[in-house]
Amino acid sequence: MLHDDDRLHPSGSDDSWFESWWFAFYVPERRLSVYVYPWFRPNLGICGGGVFAWDDGGSLPWTMTHHDYAWSRRFDGAATMLEGARLTMPQGVVIDVVESGQAYRIRYAHPALAFDVHFAATATVSATAASTADIGIFKGHIDQPGHYTGSVRVNGETLAVDCHCVRDRSWGPRRDDLTAMHIGYFHATASARDAFLMVGHARDDPEHFTLLSGYLIRDGVHAVLAEGEARISRADDLSPASCRLRAVDVQGRQVEAQGRRLTAVAVQVQPGMFNWSSFAEWQFGDATAYGELQDTWHPDGYRAFAQARGAAA
């Protein structure tokens, strides 16, 4: 049986109601990152998002490895894409719910990029709601680390996928006019026993983020974060180049982490959201792992920031 969070939630009558699925996996030795991000605005009858991938060959939609992404596909309702435990989405993504909240098979087939991967959760879902309500990003949100296995074909070459990363789900009103929105999403997963994730909000200082939500997994023990902050540095194109993060979980355990960018990509994922995503190598405790530095803005806010820094990026 599907849990509620594997279905579209009741959306009321708000036109800004938004739902998304996000899966991400890597082939680190090729510096290849793949994002699966279908999203829905059911009260408007539209959906968007899709699949994109990048490596060190390009950082923009027209230079990255793959960009199959839309803002306004027709959406005829959840019943049209749900059959049993399978979600066949208009964006070309197929998600089989093997075990609700625990295991998923994600498939996609395009001439330039195709994959068939399994996600197996390595920890429980970390749910977020009230702590983010003040910035109006979502009513509900979950993050979950897991192990991705399978294969991806890119430019005619098939590569094995065997990595640890996360998945997320978001739902709730998401307006496109939140010009003060600036979110950092920082994470790394070394194994089922060692991982962290911190979601933060930047206010006056665009390089400094304070905790909204997150978790720490150490020696297999999972606990949510109680406090934390992160500071990023930027490359010449203003993408996140490095990050230093400090946080404390509800058990009093501390984590200090340092991340450095390996590749970066710039995408406007929705009309009201611009995202720099940097594939990164992190060190925390005795672990070295891959993860991300995500720097997410309202486009108007980022435009003003970039102009003030004298950059066109």
Side-chain angles (χ1 to χ4, degrees), residues 169-232:
R169 279 275 283 125
S170 294
W171 62 93
R174 183 175 291 185
R175 292 162 40 197
D176 289 328
D177 61 351
L178 299 174
T179 57
M181 186 268 293
H182 184 193
I183 301 296
Y185 189 84
F186 312 115
H187 66 87
T189 308
S191 67
R193 297 183 59 79
D194 290 288
F196 73 87
L197 180 145
M198 176 183 152
V199 184
H201 188 209
R203 299 185 188 273
D204 297 330
D205 182 344
E207 273 78 52
H208 181 253
F209 300 83
T210 55
L211 177 71
L212 288 173
S213 64
Y215 58 77
L216 172 63
I217 302 173
R218 179 176 293 158
D219 297 328
V221 178
H222 183 292
V224 298
L225 297 181
E227 58 182 86
E229 61 179 357
R231 176 166 290 279
I232 63 172

Side-chain angles (χ1 to χ4, degrees), residues 269-313:
V269 292
Q270 292 127 43
M273 185 173 287
F274 167 77
N275 182 254
W276 270 117
S277 288
S278 291
F279 174 53
E281 182 180 76
W282 286 87
Q283 293 184 331
F284 56 105
D286 295 329
T288 299
Y290 296 106
E292 289 186 291
L293 313 174
Q294 283 196 31
D295 184 36
T296 301
W297 299 69
H298 188 278
D300 289 352
Y302 183 78
R303 184 179 300 109
F305 163 72
Q307 290 172 349
R309 291 289 178 96

